[in-house]
């Protein structure tokens, strides 16, 4: 993975969640209520002066529940991920770690290339000995060497390894280490993509739950006002008033919690990307427009793809690196052969020291005994190789477990979304029937409150389940190494579909 998630293969087409027929009893009740004489509703409105106004406002609120105000655009999830790639400090650290590890290759190569060095020195020396001052030793002879020396010396030396198994295998180890570092960076990018996606989905769901709770709060305020008016006029029940007030207070508390969850998700996005996106309107659109993939295929087919899991690939690369390191350690048993060439020039006042030398030598080094260090080092490498093999097996097991878990969760979410979609349709009809039943005196306000609470609770459950479905889908593709930028685009497209107002088309 470079600066973006790599694309994956074409997926199975998605299917729209089918809408099913609601129970016949609810439809019959709704039909009877809709056919009731208009005078009956008028008489009910006369008994409770605020009733007709309240019902008209409630009707408008019900119609606006499915609307998406302010357009259907959402912050671009792929763009936010691109920002995160540039902003995230942890990912930047991983890039620097990769660049540092890449230097292991030229370092290992340098041990195989010639080593050329040059040296120079200057010497001044004042000596008193039998050769420079024989008179000081009671000898009657001339000085053979000068007592004061002014001398310059320089040398160029080349050393070339001709055979060193340990150094040759060091190149293989360096390349394996770079492979591990590259996969570390890819893993960091994958985790960043999942973190950004999770924060994005949480922010979206929290904003929509907040919108649902605020709409519920407005409806409950209206009904509480209606119950208060009815109680003041002596035609209402105090129990209805207390129930409406209690439900309204609960909706306010739930909205505060949803607002905190939204702030937490936005803060997480800002930490990851450096920006705090605006999710626009908090209202939901047509939830039945959510397209989810119904069939996720055979589990065995997914299991065959876990070899592409980045954690598995990283564990495999780590095992190869430790195996390469063990091979380097075994190279310590073998001799080494070096070629050495040198040229030196010494210019001195002492003619006996003046020289110009050319040297060429072959040096063979045979390890005989190192105190058991080589054997212990090889054994240590072998144990680390066995440990890395166990780590590889563990990552494969974790990948299999992840695939099974996500497949079960996805299949469960698909069934739950389908059931919630039908339940929402039934609850909408039941709420209408309960409202008309209250006007006819067939039901009380508590029934209306229960029906409305059930409808909003089912909508909240739907968006929560959809969010879990989206995240499970991303993690599943990540578990088989197929998470791509188009997955992020499809997540955003799915959320846009349930945020789009049908009347905007």
């Amino acid at each position: 993975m470079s600066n973006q998630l790599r694309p994956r293969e074409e997926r199975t087409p998605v299917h729209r969640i089918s809408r099913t027929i609601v129970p016949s009893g609810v439809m019959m009740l709704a039909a009877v209520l809709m056919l009731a004489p208009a005078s009956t509703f008028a008489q009910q409105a006369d008994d409770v002066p605020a009733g007709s106004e309240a019902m008209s406002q409630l009707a408008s609120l019900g119609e606006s529940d499915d609307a998406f105000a302010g357009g259907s655009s959402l912050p671009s999830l792929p763009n936010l991920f691109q920002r995160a790639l540039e902003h995230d400090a942890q990912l930047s650290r991983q890039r620097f770690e990769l660049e540092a590890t890449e230097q292991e290759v030229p370092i290992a190569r340098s041990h195989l290339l010639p080593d050329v060095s040059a040296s120079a020195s200057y010497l001044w020396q004042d000596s008193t000995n039998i050769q420079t001052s024989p008179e000081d030793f009671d000898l009657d002879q001339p000085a053979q060497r000068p007592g004061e020396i002014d001398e310059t010396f320089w040398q160029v030396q080349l050393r070339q390894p001709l055979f060193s198994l340990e150094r040759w295998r060091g190149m293989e180890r360096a390349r394996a280490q770079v492979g591990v570092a590259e996969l570390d960076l890819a893993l960091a990018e994958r985790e960043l993509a999942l973190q950004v996606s999770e924060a994005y989905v949480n922010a979206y769901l929290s904003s929509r739950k907040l919108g649902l709770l605020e709409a519920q709060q407005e409806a409950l305020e209206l009904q509480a006002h209606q119950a208060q008016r009815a109680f003041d006029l002596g035609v209402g029940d105090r129990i209805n008033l207390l129930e409406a007030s209690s439900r309204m207070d609960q909706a306010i508390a739930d909205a505060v919690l949803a607002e905190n969850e939204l702030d937490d998700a936005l803060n997480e996005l800002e930490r990851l990307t450096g920006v705090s996106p605006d999710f626009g309107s908090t209202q939901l659109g047509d939830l039945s427009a959510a397209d989810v993939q119904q069939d996720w295929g055979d589990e065995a087919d997914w299991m065959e793809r876990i070899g592409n899991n980045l954690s598995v690939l990283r564990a495999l690369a780590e095992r190869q690196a430790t195996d390469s390191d063990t091979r380097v350690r075994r190279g310590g048993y073998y001799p080494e052969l070096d070629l050495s060439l040198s040229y030196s020039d010494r210019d001195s006042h002492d003619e006996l020291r003046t020289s110009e030398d050319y040297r060429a030598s072959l040096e063979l080094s045979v390890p005989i005994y190192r105190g058991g260090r080589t054997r212990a080092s090889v054994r240590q490498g072998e144990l680390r190789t066995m440990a890395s093999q166990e780590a590889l097996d563990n990552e494969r097991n974790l990948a299999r477990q992840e695939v099974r878990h996500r497949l079960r969760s996805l299949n469960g979410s698909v069934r739950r979304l389908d059931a919630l979609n039908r339940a929402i349709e039934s609850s909408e009809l039941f709420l209408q029937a309960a409202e008309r039943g209250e006007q006819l005196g067939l039901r009380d306000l508590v029934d209306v409150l229960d029906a409305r609470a059930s409808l909003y609770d089912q909508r909240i459950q739907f968006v929560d389940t959809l969010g879990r479905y989206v995240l499970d889908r991303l993690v599943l593709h990540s578990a088989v190494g197929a998470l791509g930028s188009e997955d992020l685009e499809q997540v955003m497209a799915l959320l846009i579909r349930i945020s789009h107002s049908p009347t905007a088309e």
Side-chain angles (χ1 to χ4, degrees):
M1 298 172 68
S2 58
N3 287 337
Q4 64 179 3
L5 296 175
R6 60 186 181 86
R8 56 178 176 78
E9 297 176 357
E10 185 176 353
R11 306 271 168 75
T12 305
V14 296
H15 303 280
R16 183 178 300 274
I17 297 179
S18 60
R19 309 186 72 170
T20 57
I21 300 175
V22 296
S24 57
V26 176
M27 293 191 65
M28 291 176 63
L29 176 60
V32 170
L33 293 176
M34 287 187 290
L35 293 175
S39 59
T40 305
F41 294 100
Q43 180 65 35
Q44 182 71 9
D46 293 334
D47 294 339
V48 183
S52 59
E53 178 184 359
M55 290 308 300
S56 63
Q57 295 186 33
L58 283 173
S60 64
L61 284 173
E63 293 173 357
S64 63
D65 284 344
D66 292 334
F68 182 78
S72 61
S73 62
L74 288 175
S76 173
L77 179 55
N79 288 346
L80 287 174
F81 175 60
Q82 289 297 327
R83 283 182 173 271
L85 289 175
E86 301 171 359
H87 177 266
D88 187 67
Q90 180 67 16
L91 189 60
S92 297
R93 183 195 68 82
Q94 201 65 54
R95 291 194 187 102
F96 286 122
E97 289 288 345
L98 173 58
E99 292 180 9
T101 305
E102 286 175 342
Q103 301 308 308
E104 292 292 335
V105 174
I107 290 174
R109 185 185 298 113
S110 68
H111 296 311
L112 299 173
L113 298 177
D115 183 2
V116 181
S117 62
S119 61
S121 64
Y122 169 78
L123 173 65
W124 178 85
Q125 177 179 317
D126 187 0
S127 300
T128 301
N129 54 51
I130 194 172
Q131 291 181 330
T132 60
S133 302
E135 63 278 5
D136 293 342
F137 297 91
D138 297 329
L139 295 177
D140 185 14
Q141 63 182 33
Q144 297 178 1
R145 304 180 66 181
E148 183 176 332
I149 299 176
D150 192 2
E151 177 180 291
T152 59
F153 172 81
W154 65 274
Q155 176 180 266
V156 177
Q157 185 176 20
L158 180 146
R159 190 175 187 87
Q160 171 64 56
L162 298 181
F163 176 80
S164 176
L165 192 60
E166 187 174 2
R167 296 185 182 186
W168 277 105
R169 290 176 174 176
M171 283 288 296
E172 177 185 351
R173 177 177 61 184
R175 294 191 183 97
Q177 291 172 344
V178 172
V180 173
E182 289 175 343
L183 286 169
D184 284 335
L185 177 60
L187 277 170
E189 290 182 354
R190 184 195 71 175
E191 293 305 316
L192 181 61
L194 293 177
Q195 289 175 9
V196 172
S197 299
E198 182 177 4
Y200 182 94
V201 171
N202 288 340
Y204 174 85
L205 297 181
S206 298
S207 67
R208 270 49 190 178
K209 284 197 293 184
L210 179 61
L212 286 172
L213 292 169
E214 288 176 345
Q216 183 183 25
Q217 180 182 338
E218 293 177 4
L220 290 172
E221 287 176 352
L222 195 59
Q223 287 189 321
H225 176 69
Q226 179 183 354
Q228 182 68 52
R229 290 286 301 274
F231 179 76
D232 293 341
L233 294 174
V235 296
D237 190 343
R238 182 173 178 80
I239 294 178
N240 290 341
L241 175 60
L242 295 176
E243 181 72 17
S245 300
S246 175
R247 297 290 181 94
M248 183 179 65
D249 293 337
Q250 182 62 49
I252 294 174
D254 293 341
V256 171
L257 179 60
E259 187 175 359
N260 290 337
E261 292 175 351
L262 175 60
D263 290 339
D264 291 341
L266 291 176
N267 287 336
E268 180 68 6
L269 274 177
E270 185 174 7
R271 181 186 72 84
L272 295 172
T273 65
V275 296
S276 182
D278 181 13
F279 282 82
S281 170
T282 60
Q283 296 186 11
L284 282 170
D286 183 9
L287 297 183
S288 64
D291 292 341
V292 295
Q293 182 174 330
Q294 299 286 331
D295 185 11
W296 285 93
D298 187 19
E299 180 181 299
D301 295 335
W302 289 94
M303 290 299 177
E304 293 177 356
R305 301 167 59 186
I306 63 171
N308 295 324
N309 181 287
L310 287 177
S311 297
V312 174
L313 292 176
R314 200 270 180 197
L316 178 60
E318 181 67 27
R319 192 200 66 182
Q320 294 172 345
T322 55
D323 185 64
S324 298
D325 181 66
T326 303
R327 288 167 54 82
V328 171
R329 295 167 185 258
R330 289 196 184 102
Y333 286 122
Y334 293 85
E336 294 185 354
L337 179 64
D338 296 331
L339 170 65
S340 178
L341 302 174
S342 67
Y343 168 79
S344 63
D345 181 53
R346 187 187 301 272
D347 185 12
S348 175
H349 288 174
D350 186 355
E351 295 181 355
L352 295 178
R353 291 175 59 87
T354 300
S355 65
E356 184 178 14
D357 298 325
Y358 296 88
R359 294 182 181 179
S361 64
L362 288 174
E363 300 177 8
L364 178 64
S365 174
V366 180
I368 297 177
Y369 180 69
R370 295 178 178 175
R373 182 174 68 251
T374 302
R375 178 180 298 177
S377 177
V378 171
R379 181 56 180 166
Q380 184 183 59
E382 292 172 345
L383 291 173
R384 286 178 176 172
T385 300
M386 289 187 285
S388 63
Q389 178 60 49
E390 295 299 324
L392 174 60
D393 294 339
N394 181 62
E395 289 296 338
R396 286 172 175 162
N397 291 334
L398 290 176
R400 294 189 185 97
Q401 182 182 18
E402 189 73 60
V403 168
R404 292 191 184 99
H405 171 68
R406 298 300 170 177
L407 283 175
R408 286 195 300 267
S409 183
L410 282 168
N411 289 326
S413 294
V414 168
R415 294 193 300 270
R416 182 173 172 79
L417 287 172
D418 188 51
L420 284 171
N421 196 31
R422 295 194 301 269
I424 289 172
E425 292 178 352
S426 300
S427 295
E428 289 173 345
L429 292 176
F430 181 71
L431 176 59
Q432 295 173 11
E435 290 172 343
R436 296 186 183 277
E438 183 199 10
Q439 291 181 338
L440 293 174
L442 301 177
R443 292 183 177 273
D444 57 18
L445 182 60
V446 175
D447 294 329
V448 176
L449 295 176
D450 287 339
R452 185 173 297 279
S454 177
L455 175 59
Y456 278 99
D457 181 64
Q458 288 167 356
R459 288 180 174 178
I460 291 174
Q461 290 182 45
F462 187 95
V463 295
D464 283 339
T465 304
L466 186 63
R468 184 165 56 251
Y469 166 87
V470 166
L471 294 178
D472 285 338
R473 174 180 177 174
L474 292 176
V475 176
L476 176 62
H477 290 140
S478 172
V480 295
L483 183 61
S485 58
E486 64 183 48
D487 291 293
L488 306 185
E489 295 172 355
Q490 291 174 1
V491 166
M492 191 178 70
L494 176 59
L495 298 181
I496 287 177
R497 279 195 292 273
I498 65 171
S499 303
H500 184 70
S501 173
T503 61
E505 296 182 353

